[in-house]
Amino acid sequence: MTNLRRRAVIAVDLDYFYAQCEEVRDPSIRDKPVVICVFSGRTEDSGAVSTANYVARELGVRSGMPIAFAKKILKSHQDARFLPMDLEYYQSVSERIMEIIRSKGEKFEQASIDEAYLEIGRNDGDDFGLAEDIGRKIKEEILSSEKMMSTVGIGQNKLMAKMAVDSKKPNGFTIIPAGSERLFLNPLPAGKLFGVGPKTEKKLNSIGIRTVGDLASADQKLLSDLFGKKLGPELHEMANGIDESLVLDRPAEQFSRIVTLKRDSEGFDFYDVLKPLCEDLSSKLSYASIKCKSIGIIAITNELKVKTRAKTISEAIQSSDKIQEIASELFSSFFGKQYNPDEGRFKVRRIGVRISDFVESGDSKANTLEDFL
Ligand code: DGT
Ligand code: CA
Ligand code: CA
């Protein structure tokens, strides 16, 4: 036991994320039902519910439900808000929160727009104590700097951290101490195990496996026969709290910033508007000690069409001025060509800048070298 490598993994999941972003933007809607809608545009109400705040959930609204159905449920709630999904805004909130989490440990993996893992410690049994402190700090900082509620789970691997998160939402903080995995998992219905969907659960039930505990002590050959040589053993391991998958320390692939113009634009007359966006992006680069080699622009028209252009440069850059210079070039040429008969005439309502293709800036090296010279 002693030479087994111990780890503690922290999982963070932001509560009712898209809907909470809207509450942060307009706190007056906090106590009202808030439903985030993906309007498909065919008829006024066609489309699906992306997510909803807990006020709306308590009344029965769910992700994936038709918008028309959610409206029916909330018919007697005049104060209910049905808001269009604003992904760029949620993305910018997510990026800032991911930076908070990333800064608290060495191994960080973003799993989705509102979910991340952080691995703590390596050698001794006290990693859980440290993970608890760090988990609390993360939760507090997300609340103080972004006014956002989150759920934190801690376990000895990614699976157990995720199970801890799912066991208590929203605003949860759950630790599954190393060694008590089985105790925690055994009584849960099999369908609560991460990765077990309704189809698998039904199949398990049909052979008398109802709880995760049943699955953990099930005959392994029977599981392999029923679910195959890959999923069978995997289910058995998971039910025993075993998960060897690593927290992958992947850097972000791109950063973007987007704003709505004061009035719709038919030409490039918003040079100054770009400045704060580029400054924000530049400071992210410098914080992460990286530079970018690709700069892109985003233009969203008054008909909500998204158009993009990008340029790759041979020498990586970090400064706000240089990003702004290239973004301006791209916008000038974009508007220069906008009367192209293929694209027709349009007005631009929102604009953005996106950077990607990152390389390490090598700043720290330069500093040490300077110290020696
Ligand atoms: P939670 O974690 O239970 O408090 O609630 P959410 O809303 O954060 O749910 P989560 O973590 O599963 O998903 C994160 C975001 O992904 C959520 O805010 C909206 C989006 N999302 C989730 N499910 C669906 C879906 O079925 N359709 C669409 N369009 N978006 C979804
Ligand atoms: Ca969430
Ligand atoms: Ca999530």
Side-chain angles (χ1 to χ4, degrees):
M1 236 358 226
T2 43
N3 55 6
L4 264 187
R5 199 180 72 104
R6 288 244 200 174
R7 357 180 237 161
V9 175
I10 303 174
V12 183
D13 190 299
L14 305 170
D15 297 324
Y16 61 101
F17 182 51
Y18 296 178
Q20 202 183 174
C21 284
E22 296 293 350
E23 290 182 353
V24 169
R25 177 151 63 180
D26 175 8
S28 76
I29 64 175
R30 269 199 186 276
D31 50 355
K32 305 181 167 95
V34 176
V35 183
I36 307 304
C37 304
V38 190
F39 292 107
S40 69
R42 254 171 289 119
T43 67
E44 197 193 330
D45 281 349
S46 65
V49 170
S50 165
T51 194
N53 68 356
Y54 277 78
V55 182
R57 286 185 200 189
E58 263 151 41
L59 296 162
V61 178
R62 295 284 176 272
S63 292
M65 175 181 277
I67 296 165
F69 194 57
K71 287 203 169 169
K72 218 158 145 189
I73 293 176
L74 298 177
K75 203 167 59 196
S76 60
H77 295 264
Q78 292 302 313
D79 58 348
R81 292 290 196 282
F82 292 85
L83 304 172
M85 182 168 78
D86 182 356
L87 210 48
E88 291 280 355
Y89 165 61
Y90 313 146
Q91 197 81 49
S92 68
V93 176
S94 163
E95 278 174 21
R96 290 195 301 269
I97 293 177
M98 292 301 156
E99 282 313 318
I100 294 174
I101 306 170
R102 190 196 300 271
S103 72
K104 299 287 182 294
E106 277 170 24
K107 277 193 185 167
F108 165 88
E109 177 182 348
Q110 182 170 348
S112 74
I113 191 168
D114 78 328
E115 221 169 298
Y117 295 99
L118 199 66
E119 187 172 319
I120 306 298
R122 250 145 241 175
N123 310 311
D124 62 32
D126 211 24
D127 292 343
F128 268 66
L130 182 61
E132 179 171 358
D133 290 346
I134 294 174
R136 294 215 187 271
K137 273 204 196 97
I138 290 173
K139 212 167 139 72
E140 279 162 21
E141 199 172 324
I142 294 173
L143 189 63
S144 63
S145 51
E146 297 294 331
K147 309 282 168 266
M148 183 154 293
M149 206 161 70
S150 60
T151 291
V152 169
I154 298 173
Q156 67 166 351
N157 52 41
K158 283 164 77 175
L159 169 69
M160 295 315 296
K162 172 86 179 155
M163 293 302 293
V165 159
D166 289 345
S167 73
K168 190 176 176 289
K169 275 181 173 190
N171 202 20
F173 191 95
T174 306
I175 301 174
I176 304 174
S180 60
E181 289 77 18
R182 292 280 313 257
L183 207 67
F184 180 92
L185 294 173
N186 279 349
L188 298 177
K192 291 265 179 197
L193 189 61
F194 180 69
V196 175
K199 241 174 91 184
T200 307
E201 187 179 19
K202 225 173 139 198
K203 223 162 152 183
L204 287 169
N205 287 347
S206 74
I207 53 165
I209 295 174
R210 310 225 151 249
T211 65
V212 180
D214 294 341
L215 183 58
S217 51
D219 180 59
Q220 296 201 47
K221 184 165 179 317
L222 178 71
L223 292 176
S224 291
D225 288 348
L226 209 61
F227 295 99
K229 289 211 159 47
K230 192 173 180 311
L231 185 59
E234 230 170 67
L235 283 170
H236 188 261
E237 281 201 342
M238 289 200 312
N240 280 283
I242 299 166
D243 169 29
E244 305 284 346
S245 68
L246 298 172
V247 174
L248 296 173
D249 201 8
R250 275 188 309 227
E253 279 170 5
Q254 60 169 45
F255 297 132
S256 61
R257 284 289 170 267
I258 200 154
V259 284
T260 303
L261 296 169
K262 288 215 172 65
R263 49 182 176 74
D264 295 355
S265 212
E266 279 182 280
F268 181 44
D269 54 5
F270 46 79
Y271 180 81
D272 293 334
V273 179
L274 292 177
K275 198 175 167 67
L277 302 189
C278 297
E279 281 172 353
D280 202 17
L281 291 170
S282 168
S283 74
K284 278 184 87 81
L285 289 177
S286 106
Y287 183 79
S289 297
I290 52 179
K291 293 180 174 186
C292 67
K293 291 179 80 174
S294 175
I295 294 89
I297 57 162
I298 305 157
I300 300 171
T301 71
N302 52 355
E303 289 167 332
L304 301 184
K305 291 213 171 80
V306 180
K307 294 170 184 287
T308 60
R309 300 282 186 278
K311 181 177 178 176
T312 300
I313 48 178
S314 52
E315 200 172 330
I317 58 170
Q318 192 183 62
S319 90
S320 170
D321 288 347
K322 285 193 178 135
I323 297 171
Q324 192 176 356
E325 190 186 306
I326 294 171
S328 303
E329 271 172 31
L330 287 167
F331 273 117
S332 300
S333 97
F334 171 75
F335 279 106
K337 287 176 191 144
Q338 83 144 300
Y339 299 110
N340 166 340
D342 289 343
E343 296 205 332
R345 202 184 168 96
F346 55 81
K347 289 186 175 183
V348 169
R349 174 167 300 172
R350 308 183 72 203
I351 55 135
V353 179
R354 171 176 292 163
I355 52 176
S356 59
D357 209 344
F358 301 128
V359 294
E360 276 177 42
S361 65
D363 287 348
S364 46
K365 256 190 215 137
N367 285 341
T368 29
L369 236 160
E370 249 166 64
D371 289 345
F372 278 104
L373 293 174

